[in-house]
């Protein structure tokens, strides 16, 4: 469902 | 970073500054829901737990510190400094009806069953409904000060711009986060009737007065 990523959003 | 997300963050920043200006200039928190501000403080605290552990950028850290600092300062203004002007009778939304279901949903629907991830998911779900006490208060008082309308317009626009950011990131970077997108859509939908009132009334210099 979601691409593994660093949480870079506020 | 892309233009949509930057405009979204600036819109969020503007909303918080408009709110603080309204309180400071008028020395009154009339028409402002303290409960929504408490929910926003919970959202920011839960979401920015990684403030000291993961560094993204100076911008990211500064904005997080600013958001957390201002939301707690807003709560201080509402419940202490300008307490006399706080309209607790009209700020009567039962926030436990939001926190419990949102907390349960965060446990059930998340990307990973890990503490930090569940807390982050809780903050995303909570943010999508955090404005409800404020909208409820306006529907009870039947009207909103123009400055409060600007605050809500900027706050609603921020997540709408984030939706554009996610569309852009999906096509540009293959980035996709279903939880954030679904919560963002719900959050933006909650503002729709307000956006309608704002555009048809406030833009023409009228006040927003809901049919009481």
């Amino acid at each position: 469902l979601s691409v593994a990523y660093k949480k870079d959003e506020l | 970073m892309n233009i949509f997300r930057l405009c979204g963050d600036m819109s969020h920043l503007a909303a918080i500054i408009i709110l603080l200006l309204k309180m400071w200039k008028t020395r009154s928190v009339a028409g402002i829901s303290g409960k929504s501000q408490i929910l926003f403080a919970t959202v920011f605290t839960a979401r920015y737990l990684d403030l000291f552990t993961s560094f993204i950028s100076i911008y990211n850290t500064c904005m997080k510190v600013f958001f957390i600092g201002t939301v707690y300062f807003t709560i201080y203004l509402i419940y202490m400094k300008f307490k006399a002007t706080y309209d607790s009778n009209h700020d009567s939304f039962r926030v436990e009806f939001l926190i419990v279901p949102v907390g349960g949903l965060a446990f059930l629907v998340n990307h990973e069953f890990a503490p930090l991830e569940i807390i982050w998911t809780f903050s995303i779900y909570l943010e999508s409904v955090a404005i409800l006490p404020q909208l409820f208060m306006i529907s009870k008082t039947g009207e909103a000060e123009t400055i409060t309308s600007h605050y809500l317009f900027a706050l609603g626009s921020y997540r709408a711009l984030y939706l554009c950011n996610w569309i852009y990131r999906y096509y540009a970077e293959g980035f996709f986060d279903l939880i954030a997108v679904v919560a963002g859509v719900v959050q933006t939908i909650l503002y729709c009737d307000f956006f309608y009132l704002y555009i048809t009334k406030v833009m023409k210099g009228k006040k927003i007065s809901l049919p009481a």
Side-chain angles (χ1 to χ4, degrees):
Chain A
L1 283 181
S2 81
V3 176
Y5 58 91
K6 216 168 155 52
K7 293 202 182 347
D8 62 350
E9 296 185 339
L10 290 174
Chain B
M1 176 56 78
N2 59 68
I3 186 65
F4 301 110
R5 182 145 64 100
L6 186 63
C7 291
D9 291 340
M10 292 306 109
S11 185
H12 195 180
L13 195 67
I16 290 172
I17 290 168
I18 289 169
L19 184 64
L20 287 177
L21 279 178
K22 173 250 184 308
M23 292 176 166
W24 202 252
K25 294 274 183 215
T26 66
R27 304 192 73 69
S28 157
V29 297
I32 301 299
S33 163
K35 294 189 173 185
S36 273
Q37 295 308 314
I38 289 172
L39 291 179
F40 284 126
T42 311
V43 166
F44 291 143
T45 307
R47 191 170 308 173
Y48 301 154
L49 290 176
D50 63 352
L51 179 60
F52 303 110
T53 53
S54 80
F55 176 78
I56 307 279
S57 67
I58 297 283
Y59 169 82
N60 191 276
T61 303
C62 290
M63 293 294 272
K64 286 178 176 177
V65 169
F66 183 82
F67 286 163
I68 285 190
T70 47
V71 77
Y72 280 105
F73 180 60
T74 302
I75 289 173
Y76 157 73
L77 291 180
I78 293 173
Y79 289 101
M80 288 182 230
K81 190 161 180 62
F82 301 135
K83 183 178 174 56
T85 64
Y86 172 51
D87 181 4
S88 60
N89 296 322
H90 285 125
D91 191 12
S92 55
F93 194 94
R94 304 286 299 278
V95 291
E96 55 273 26
F97 291 165
L98 295 178
I99 294 192
V100 174
V102 158
L105 190 64
F107 257 92
L108 297 174
V109 180
N110 51 59
H111 291 316
E112 180 199 357
F113 198 75
L116 266 181
E117 188 65 28
I118 289 175
I119 292 171
W120 176 83
T121 308
F122 170 72
S123 88
I124 290 287
Y125 293 154
L126 186 62
E127 186 186 6
S128 61
V129 293
I131 199 60
L132 282 176
Q134 179 65 66
L135 296 178
F136 179 77
M137 182 175 192
I138 289 177
S139 70
K140 281 197 80 171
T141 54
E143 50 123 34
E145 285 178 37
T146 303
I147 188 88
T148 308
S149 308
H150 295 318
Y151 160 68
L152 285 170
F153 182 74
L155 197 60
S157 307
Y158 131 72
R159 214 62 180 171
L161 286 162
Y162 256 68
L163 293 178
C164 306
N165 153 62
W166 287 320
I167 294 169
Y168 173 83
R169 290 191 77 177
Y170 178 71
Y171 289 109
E173 307 162 26
F175 172 99
F176 180 61
D177 179 351
L178 187 65
I179 286 178
V181 170
V182 171
V185 168
V186 168
Q187 182 169 338
T188 305
I189 287 174
L190 290 178
Y191 282 86
C192 282
D193 64 329
F194 171 76
F195 280 148
Y196 172 75
L197 284 170
Y198 184 86
I199 289 165
T200 55
K201 294 220 174 149
V202 178
M203 299 292 241
K204 293 185 179 130
K206 296 182 199 144
K207 254 169 90 84
I208 279 193
S209 54
L210 300 171

